Amino acid sequence: QVFPSQDPLDRADFNAVEYINALFPTEQSLANIDEVVNKIRLKIRRLDDNIRTVVRGQTNVGQDGRQALEEAQKAIQQLFGKIKDIKDKAEKSEQMVKEITRDIKQLDHAKRHLTTSITTLNHLHMLAGGVDSLEAMTRRRQYGEVANLLQGVVNVLEHFNKYMGIPQIRQLSERVKAAQNELGQQILADFEEAFPSQGTKRTGGPSNVLRDACLVANVLDPRIKQEIIKKFIKQHLSEYLVLFQENQDVAWLDKIDRRYAWIKRQLVDYEEKYGRMFPAEWCMTERIAVEFCHVTRAELSKIMRTRAKEIEVKLLLFAIQRTTNFEGLLAKRFSGCTLVDGTVKKPEVPPPSTNPFLEDETGAEADEVVMEKSDTDKPKKPKVPDNPFHGIVSKCFEPHLYVYIESQDKNLGELIDRFVADFKAQGAPKPNVDEGGAVLPSCADLFVYYKKCMVQCSQLSTGEPMIALTTIFQKYLREYAWKILSGNLPKTTSSSGGLTITSLLKEKEGSEVAKFTLEELCLICSILSTAEYCLATTQQLEEKLKEKVDASLMERINLTAEMDTFSVVISNSIQLLVQDLDAACDPALTAMSKMQWQNVEHVGDQSPYVTSVILHIKQNVPIIRDNLASTRKYFTQFCIKFANSFIPKFINHLFKCKPISMVGAEQLLLDTHSLKMVLLDLPSIGSQVVRKAPASYTKIVVKGMTRAEMILKVVMAPHEPPVVFVDNYIKLLADCSTDTFQKILDMKGLKRSEQSSMLDLFRQRLPAPPPGGDGSGSLSLSAPTPEQESSRIRKLEKLIKKRL
């Protein structure tokens, strides 16, 4: 198929019969057969005409093609001939140009060589003359002219490096080196003469000659310059070493000011007498000051090692303060360009603070404790920023900072003892419902003192002493937690006596059961709030210490153990509050289990024991909530722990109520529902502002109390027929434990023979346990209530809406 076509006659699988059937599908269509035949004949004639035209058109194509090919071949031959002519002419032109430029090329080479020779001879003349002048000026000590000439001679000599094989050039090079050596020795001798190592300084030394000599030394070997600087500084500081010898009275730390006053006078004297003698780029004033610092550090280290027992904290801090002030003065006066050899390590820029507490410091603080908290964690200033002289002298005090650390250890020990004494003298904080559980003031005092110590120590050293100080901090954080917080928690006493049914009927009897007084409850809440504040501030303290200490020592700062200690105090405080309320409810639950429930004749209002439990809850919970207003999450923990403790205990006492009549079970169900409502309202009970209880707490209460209700519903159900009773139990409680089923049968008061057959039937009707499961998790299999089901549906609808 050459051209695409939709005509069925052109198809490869053309079938004449099918084509005819398509034209005439029915007998009636045969009526048009003449018309169809005419159309086909017309199409055949058109095809014949087209074929005839194409055949005639192709008759002369072969002859025309051969003619065109011959013409193309002739054109190619002509083009080839023209290209060959052009190539021959180009070769002739190239040969002609070479013959013309042969002489010009020789002249160009000759010119280049001649120029090089003239330049070299000129340089040689300059070198020879310069060397002669250099030797003559050296003998006459004309250092001003020598400085410029020597630099020129050295530059010219560099052009002759490739000609050193020539004896005359090598001889000139050796003369230059000899002149340089002679100049170096001569200049050193002149400086020795002007500033002798022994004896006093010459006040009227040849300053002009020496100033020019310094310019020459810049061109000479750098060792000459270093030797001049070294000798001059040594001679300049010789008096210092004599005045402040180790055996002199002024050498001790209490007179350290005199050292710095002496060097200040010396630097002023140097500027006046010798400031113009040395080039400015030599930085001689700074070099003298730096050498003085090195000497002072060595001398102070030696004398402090000898008299280590005489070092006291105040004396040490005085010396460090004066020294750091002097280092700051050096930083203002000098750039530190002479310290590039790495003698003194520049302080690293502290990393940006990641303490979230710092973000809130700009706001106004209304509360004093909060003010102290923000004061403890103010953004610290960078460690002596851009001061290359930091530590150049004060580094010598670092080995003796143990005196400072021991002093802080002693001071902190006395501070903790004072806190203990103050607490005993002042007693527990007075309950103030308006303020809530106030943080103990001693806590803020401790961290303010910590901040002062940390800042002071970071100014003295950011190395090992900071690690030692951190250890001291850890020690007294633990002591504060033990002595001030845990040590002052009220002790639990064994409960005495219980409530009888008659005593429960008295309205005021329940108020005598609570073991902790109002003051004790407030004290527990105050200690809990203090421990929470300590926990947060200790975390910030750890971050601050890591910011201030050297980067290589950050790994060694870890206050996790201390934070865990405060967490234990918080946990113990919550547990005490839970135990107190729990123990207050125990007599009521005991009274419930001792009631004769089979003799209850009618269902009335809630039972007396429920009233007693509610009374204790209304007494304790509002006090705890108000005192923990600043730490809401721990009040939620208290509620959750109480629910987890009270509900299982209530269910256990429920099992002890046996036997129970139908009316008794109905009364118990009413009581259980009342307790459930009270527990659900527990977080906001007695509060004017009603807040929705946390979902985690509500879930625990609903789950536990629903189980209690299901137990009573099973007890209320008739035990005949047994199969229906057992199935109803499995459906409502979903508890596969035979012990629980046994307790239900005891509550119904069934005989042992009936219980035995019931237990056998229960074992037969038990559903197959899931793989790897056991009966231990039976409590979690309780059937969901309609409220829970609707809550789940609402959650599912919200989730679907969010995703859409």
Side-chain angles (χ1 to χ4, degrees):
Q1 182 179 339
V2 180
F3 299 105
S5 173
Q6 298 297 325
D7 195 335
L9 294 171
D10 293 332
R11 291 175 59 182
D13 56 347
F14 173 73
N15 190 319
V17 176
E18 290 180 0
Y19 182 69
I20 291 170
N21 289 335
L23 291 176
F24 307 107
T26 60
E27 290 182 5
Q28 290 78 7
S29 59
L30 292 174
N32 299 327
I33 190 169
D34 294 333
E35 185 180 347
V36 172
V37 170
N38 290 332
K39 283 182 180 179
I40 291 174
R41 284 175 179 166
L42 177 62
K43 191 173 184 179
I44 290 170
R45 280 199 301 272
R46 286 178 180 172
L47 284 174
D48 289 340
D49 291 342
N50 290 338
I51 291 170
R52 193 179 300 110
T53 303
V54 171
V55 170
R56 288 174 182 171
Q58 293 296 322
T59 305
N60 299 325
V61 168
Q63 185 178 353
D64 293 343
R66 283 192 296 272
Q67 186 178 353
L69 181 60
E70 289 174 358
E71 289 176 357
Q73 288 175 345
K74 288 179 182 179
I76 290 171
Q77 288 176 355
Q78 291 175 1
L79 181 62
F80 181 75
K82 290 179 180 179
I83 291 172
K84 190 175 180 182
D85 292 342
I86 292 171
K87 184 179 177 183
D88 293 340
K89 290 178 181 178
E91 288 176 354
K92 290 178 182 179
S93 300
E94 184 182 1
Q95 190 65 30
M96 190 182 300
V97 169
K98 283 182 179 179
E99 291 176 359
I100 294 170
T101 58
R102 184 182 297 116
D103 297 335
I104 298 174
K105 199 171 185 180
Q106 289 177 351
L107 290 172
D108 188 47
H109 285 305
K111 178 187 174 184
R112 189 181 300 116
H113 293 324
L114 186 59
T115 304
T116 305
S117 301
I118 291 170
T119 305
T120 304
L121 286 171
N122 191 21
H123 286 163
L124 182 61
H125 176 69
M126 292 168 58
L127 181 61
V131 171
D132 293 338
S133 301
L134 186 63
E135 291 172 345
M137 291 175 181
T138 300
R139 287 191 294 270
R140 294 196 297 269
R141 283 185 166 77
Q142 295 176 342
Y143 295 134
E145 292 82 359
V146 166
N148 295 326
L149 180 60
L150 180 59
Q151 185 63 57
V153 169
V154 171
N155 292 338
V156 171
L157 190 59
E158 290 178 358
H159 293 284
F160 290 94
N161 285 337
K162 53 187 175 182
Y163 303 120
M164 286 300 170
I166 302 172
Q168 289 82 357
I169 302 298
R170 188 167 59 249
Q171 185 181 1
L172 285 172
S173 175
E174 290 171 356
R175 285 175 64 188
V176 171
K177 288 180 182 178
Q180 287 177 322
N181 292 335
E182 184 181 350
L183 273 171
Q185 297 302 323
Q186 190 170 301
I187 289 171
L188 288 176
D190 290 344
F191 269 94
E192 182 65 29
E193 184 181 351
F195 306 103
S197 300
Q198 303 296 331
T200 58
K201 295 181 288 185
R202 288 189 179 182
T203 54
S207 58
N208 289 334
V209 174
L210 293 180
R211 182 175 67 243
D212 294 338
C214 290
L215 297 176
V216 176
N218 268 337
V219 185
L220 294 174
D221 192 324
R223 286 178 297 178
I224 303 297
K225 171 184 168 183
Q226 295 298 330
E227 189 68 23
I228 293 172
I229 293 172
K230 183 179 177 183
K231 284 188 175 183
F232 181 81
I233 293 176
K234 183 178 179 183
Q235 193 274 340
H236 215 69
L237 296 178
S238 58
E239 180 186 346
Y240 173 70
L241 293 172
V242 174
L243 287 174
F244 294 91
Q245 281 183 357
E246 188 177 347
N247 55 2
Q248 296 295 323
D249 188 39
V250 293
W252 189 228
L253 300 179
D254 57 345
K255 296 181 177 60
I256 198 169
D257 277 342
R258 298 191 182 183
R259 293 177 181 267
Y260 304 132
W262 182 89
I263 189 60
K264 290 174 188 175
R265 290 194 303 272
Q266 290 299 312
L267 292 177
V268 172
D269 182 60
Y270 166 81
E271 292 285 355
E272 291 177 355
K273 293 183 179 179
Y274 308 106
R276 297 181 181 179
M277 188 173 74
F278 294 99
E281 64 268 18
W282 285 22
C283 304
M284 284 299 292
T285 312
E286 181 178 325
R287 290 181 186 275
I288 293 171
V290 170
E291 184 60 26
F292 165 81
C293 292
H294 293 325
V295 171
T296 301
R297 186 168 70 179
E299 291 294 317
L300 287 176
S301 297
K302 186 165 62 174
I303 195 171
M304 282 193 291
R305 279 196 302 270
T306 307
R307 302 170 63 177
K309 294 182 180 179
E310 300 178 35
I311 301 176
E312 297 177 354
V313 178
K314 291 183 179 179
L315 180 63
L316 182 67
L317 292 179
F318 166 77
I320 292 174
Q321 183 185 7
R322 292 293 189 271
T323 302
T324 50
N325 289 346
F326 175 69
E327 290 171 351
L329 190 65
L330 291 179
K332 292 178 182 178
R333 173 66 178 81
F334 304 117
S335 64
C337 60
T338 62
L339 299 174
V340 292
D341 56 352
T343 307
V344 177
K345 180 182 177 182
K346 291 191 178 182
E348 296 177 1
V349 178
S353 174
T354 55
N355 187 352
F357 182 78
L358 299 180
E359 298 170 1
D360 301 330
E361 285 182 358
T362 53
E365 305 292 343
D367 180 58
E368 182 181 353
V369 176
V370 178
M371 283 178 67
E372 288 173 338
K373 187 189 288 188
S374 67
D375 185 54
T376 307
D377 291 286
K378 285 179 183 175
K380 72 180 183 67
K381 296 179 181 177
K383 297 180 280 188
V384 198
D386 300 325
N387 182 0
F389 297 94
H390 178 59
I392 192 170
V393 179
S394 56
K395 206 78 174 174
C396 67
F397 297 111
E398 193 164 310
H400 303 278
L401 283 176
Y402 67 88
V403 177
Y404 170 78
I405 301 299
E406 290 172 357
S407 168
Q408 296 305 329
D409 189 2
K410 180 181 176 183
N411 292 343
L412 281 168
E414 293 172 354
L415 190 66
I416 294 293
D417 293 340
R418 180 164 66 82
F419 290 160
V420 174
D422 290 348
F423 194 92
K424 288 181 180 178
Q426 299 171 7
K430 294 181 181 180
N432 191 336
V433 178
D434 296 333
E435 295 182 1
V439 176
L440 297 179
S442 59
C443 172
D445 294 341
L446 178 69
F447 282 105
V448 167
Y449 189 82
Y450 270 19
K451 179 201 172 186
K452 177 185 172 185
C453 293
M454 179 178 64
V455 171
Q456 192 175 42
C457 186
S458 67
Q459 292 172 349
L460 306 180
S461 170
T462 56
E464 287 293 337
M466 281 291 283
I467 302 298
L469 185 68
T470 302
T471 306
I472 299 297
F473 284 174
Q474 291 174 299
K475 173 184 174 183
Y476 288 102
L477 282 174
R478 291 193 296 271
E479 286 208 10
Y480 187 85
W482 295 332
K483 292 183 178 180
I484 309 296
L485 301 181
S486 294
N488 288 310
L489 281 173
K491 303 294 185 291
T492 55
T493 55
S494 59
S495 58
S496 58
L499 293 183
T500 62
I501 300 300
T502 54
S503 69
L504 285 170
L505 298 174
K506 299 178 182 179
E507 293 182 1
K508 297 182 180 178
E509 190 69 33
S511 61
E512 300 173 2
V513 179
K515 291 183 291 184
F516 290 148
T517 62
L518 173 63
E519 290 76 12
E520 287 174 330
L521 286 175
C522 291
L523 173 60
I524 295 172
C525 294
S526 181
I527 289 174
L528 193 155
S529 299
T530 304
E532 191 266 341
Y533 168 69
C534 290
L535 177 64
T537 314
T538 302
Q539 185 176 1
Q540 296 163 7
L541 175 66
E542 181 182 30
E543 294 171 2
K544 288 291 178 185
L545 287 168
K546 287 184 176 180
E547 286 178 12
K548 291 192 178 286
V549 79
D550 289 340
S552 59
L553 300 175
M554 282 177 59
E555 297 289 334
R556 294 172 59 184
I557 292 180
N558 187 354
L559 304 184
T560 307
E562 288 65 41
M563 288 187 266
D564 291 344
T565 302
F566 289 117
S567 297
V568 169
V569 174
I570 293 171
S571 179
N572 290 343
S573 302
I574 295 174
Q575 194 59 39
L576 272 179
L577 296 172
V578 171
Q579 286 176 1
D580 178 57
L581 183 54
D582 210 19
C585 298
D586 277 350
L589 295 179
T590 304
M592 177 190 79
S593 62
K594 290 181 179 179
M595 286 180 67
Q596 302 296 321
W597 292 102
Q598 75 273 23
N599 297 331
V600 177
E601 297 178 355
H602 61 274
V603 178
D605 201 355
Q606 63 187 27
S607 301
Y609 74 89
V610 177
T611 307
S612 175
V613 170
I614 295 173
L615 179 63
H616 288 304
I617 289 175
K618 287 184 176 180
Q619 284 177 346
N620 280 29
V621 173
I623 296 171
I624 296 170
R625 182 182 60 243
D626 293 340
N627 280 278
L628 295 182
S630 59
T631 54
R632 189 76 188 175
K633 64 178 180 179
Y634 294 117
F635 174 68
T636 303
Q637 282 190 25
F638 159 75
C639 294
I640 291 173
K641 284 190 175 183
F642 174 71
N644 280 328
S645 173
F646 176 79
I647 294 174
K649 189 180 290 186
F650 173 74
I651 292 175
N652 287 335
H653 280 80
L654 204 60
F655 283 133
K656 294 178 183 178
C657 299
K658 53 186 179 182
I660 303 176
S661 64
M662 177 67 72
V663 178
E666 290 178 356
Q667 180 64 50
L668 274 172
L669 188 61
L670 175 66
D671 295 343
T672 302
H673 182 73
S674 298
L675 282 175
K676 179 181 177 181
M677 291 299 103
V678 171
L679 288 174
L680 286 173
D681 193 41
L682 180 76
S684 58
I685 195 167
S687 173
Q688 295 178 352
V689 180
V690 179
R691 297 176 62 176
K692 187 178 179 180
S696 56
Y697 170 76
T698 305
K699 183 178 179 181
I700 291 170
V701 173
V702 169
K703 181 178 178 181
M705 295 306 288
T706 301
R707 175 172 169 78
E709 291 173 342
M710 291 299 113
I711 289 171
L712 290 171
K713 287 181 180 178
V714 171
V715 172
M716 291 168 62
H719 62 278
E720 295 290 345
V723 173
V724 175
F725 176 76
V726 171
D727 289 344
N728 191 41
Y729 168 83
I730 294 172
K731 178 183 177 182
L732 290 177
L733 282 180
D735 191 340
C736 300
S737 170
T738 54
D739 293 339
T740 307
F741 188 67
Q742 177 76 55
K743 291 175 183 177
I744 297 288
L745 298 179
D746 289 340
M747 291 173 73
K748 289 185 71 65
L750 296 181
K751 297 177 182 178
R752 288 295 173 187
S753 58
E754 293 176 331
Q755 289 187 13
S756 178
S757 61
M758 280 282 192
L759 285 170
D760 292 339
L761 182 62
F762 172 70
R763 293 189 184 97
Q764 294 171 10
R765 305 288 293 180
L766 275 179
D774 53 22
S776 60
S778 59
L779 190 61
S780 63
L781 300 174
S782 56
T785 62
E787 293 87 0
Q788 284 177 302
E789 289 293 341
S790 61
S791 173
R792 289 175 185 173
I793 292 170
R794 284 196 298 272
K795 286 181 181 177
L796 188 60
E797 287 174 350
K798 286 181 182 177
L799 186 64
I800 293 170
K801 287 178 182 177
K802 278 184 181 179
R803 292 191 175 178
L804 290 176

